[in-house]
Amino acid sequence: MGIRRLAGTAGGPAASGGSRPAARRTLHPLRGIWAALPACLAVVICATLTDTAFGGAAEAPFDVDSLDRKIVRTGEHRFVYVTYQDVEYREIRSDDMANPALDGQFVCLECKLAENAAADEKGKRILHIMEAQKVKIIAPENAVPKGAIRGDRIWVAGKAKKAAEGPGCDLEASHIYKLKRDLERFKDKVAALTRQGDAEGLISIWGEVEHALKTNPAGFGEFQDMEQIRRRALRAGLELKAKSLAPNDADGRFWIAREYYEKLRKQDHARVYIEEALKIDPRHKGAAELASKEKWLEMFEGRWLRPEEIAKMLEDRKRISAEAAAEAERREKERAARLAMAVKERPLLLRRSIEKLYAADAKPPGAAAEDLAAAGRDTEDDWLARRAALLICAAGVPAAPKLISELAASKLPAARAAAYEALCWLAIPGGRSGEEALAALAKAIENDEDQTSVGVGIDAIASLRSEAAVETLVTLADAENEKAAEEASKALSTITGVPFADRKLWGKWWTENKDKGIKLVPKPRPGWE
């Protein structure tokens, strides 16, 4: 039945004017062959005959993306060359035809047909394109695709020639092919560029799609599909480009961030690349401005940090400070408790120490004095430390200067001051171990950084009113410890009546006067003497 219908359409009565029986006689020899063919092959033959009857099969769209391409870089410029039938064409855009420098170059471009003029007497047609109405495409009659209408996408290859009218160039076309619809074409192109890993090609899809939508607006559904295609292509291109960046390329990361921010509206992705750019170059102007504008990052103590990171850091510092304050308060309470206990027990300790000291024979007092020195050095009770120093002095043991010198190493200024007074007590003219005590006292004062205890020690030495004490003060006036040296110089001026503004002069003064006898200014002795 199908073959009869086909024959009747192509060469039957309606077309040739022949009778119906004649048509049967013409087809009768084919009936046996048709019946013997498999069903699938019959369908193919039927379709082929049908196409032939209507003037030939429709030509498939030209696949321009399957052509061999070569990328050439010159400085910041990127040129793409396409090879077709052994000729290398440079890919351009329609607006590039305004450049007269293209004259004589083999070029190709994709565009949309705006007007297809009739052929002139030389068999040439003038084609205009939507993207640039002033550009003329001059083509032979047989080069123009059959049935090409306004809005069709075409691929044109040929030689640029200086325009006869106006600036720029026209294109003498040698090949013109109809292309796929924009949507199909961009799908295939994105897939091919993705397989090739061409980051710049994928990124350029964004502009190409935008250009296509402007020159030939699509319906809403197709517009949405093309919008998704270009967004997907740009994301893929940016991901590939990010992998190729050098570790110190802050500008490249900022460029990627700006693409995510301005085109894809992906602020999370943009922030990641802004952070990377500012880690590389904290002073990057563009990255810093965008980070501050969107409040993604803030400069904090010389670093760019997220607001939540800054808040957490400040909270952690507050917590650590509170914990440190609590720990300090706990230690102070423990110290106060120990001190209160020591104050409570010190009368008993003093009584026991006195009993042990005076009830023992000649040997035990030495051991008791050592115990007292250890207790006074380690205690936090300045009262106990002071009593220990006085008890050691009263013990009359030979090691008293040494033991009190150890007591002078206490961490309590009051305990050190008590030790200084005890050493002076030992150094009273006619007292026991005077020279040894003064030497130990001078050494202890020179190593002391506390102003109060240093002052107590200097006053104690000055109260001795002896040449040994004066010599000790002269030695201290030249010490490296500025506090001790200043106090010693003041004490010397007080007891000698010599007002030296420069403390360094006391050494010379002592050398000149020590053999002449030193006259001291009378002064009442302190009550403890």
Side-chain angles (χ1 to χ4, degrees), residues 334-390:
E334 291 180 354
R335 177 184 173 280
R338 291 195 303 269
L339 183 59
M341 183 61 69
V343 170
K344 182 179 180 180
E345 295 180 352
R346 65 188 180 185
L348 178 61
L349 292 173
L350 179 60
R351 187 176 71 253
R352 288 177 180 176
S353 298
I354 294 173
E355 290 174 356
K356 187 176 180 180
L357 185 62
Y358 288 103
D361 57 11
K363 185 175 181 182
E370 291 178 1
D371 292 343
L372 283 170
R377 183 179 61 251
D378 298 335
T379 186
E380 295 182 1
D381 185 354
D382 55 358
W383 183 89
L384 180 59
R386 182 179 179 85
R387 292 303 180 272
L390 295 177

Side-chain angles (χ1 to χ4, degrees), residues 209-217:
V209 170
E210 185 172 6
H211 186 70
L213 290 174
K214 285 182 179 178
T215 54
N216 187 21

Side-chain angles (χ1 to χ4, degrees), residues 190 193-194 198-207 209 226-242 255-256 258-266:
V190 169
L193 292 172
T194 302
D198 187 348
E200 294 188 13
L202 287 167
I203 292 171
S204 67
I205 291 291
W206 182 276
V209 170
M226 291 183 67
E227 179 68 16
Q228 291 180 6
I229 287 173
R230 74 168 182 170
R231 291 179 67 85
R232 185 169 64 249
L234 182 57
R235 283 198 303 269
L238 293 177
E239 290 173 1
L240 289 172
K241 186 173 181 66
W255 184 87
I256 292 176
R258 193 171 55 188
E259 293 292 295
Y260 274 114
Y261 177 76
E262 295 178 352
K263 294 180 179 177
L264 296 177
R265 299 293 190 266
K266 297 284 186 180

Side-chain angles (χ1 to χ4, degrees), residues 121-140:
E121 64 276 4
K122 297 181 180 180
K124 298 285 186 180
R125 283 196 180 192
I126 305 298
L127 280 67
H128 294 278
I129 58 178
M130 289 186 177
E131 293 86 347
Q133 294 285 345
K134 294 183 179 180
V135 174
K136 294 180 181 179
I137 297 178
I138 306 168

Side-chain angles (χ1 to χ4, degrees), residues 161-172:
K161 177 182 178 182
K162 192 175 186 308
E165 302 176 0
C169 294
D170 294 331
L171 180 57
E172 291 186 344

Side-chain angles (χ1 to χ4, degrees), residues 385-398:
R386 182 179 179 85
R387 292 303 180 272
L390 295 177
L391 284 171
I392 293 171
C393 288
V397 294

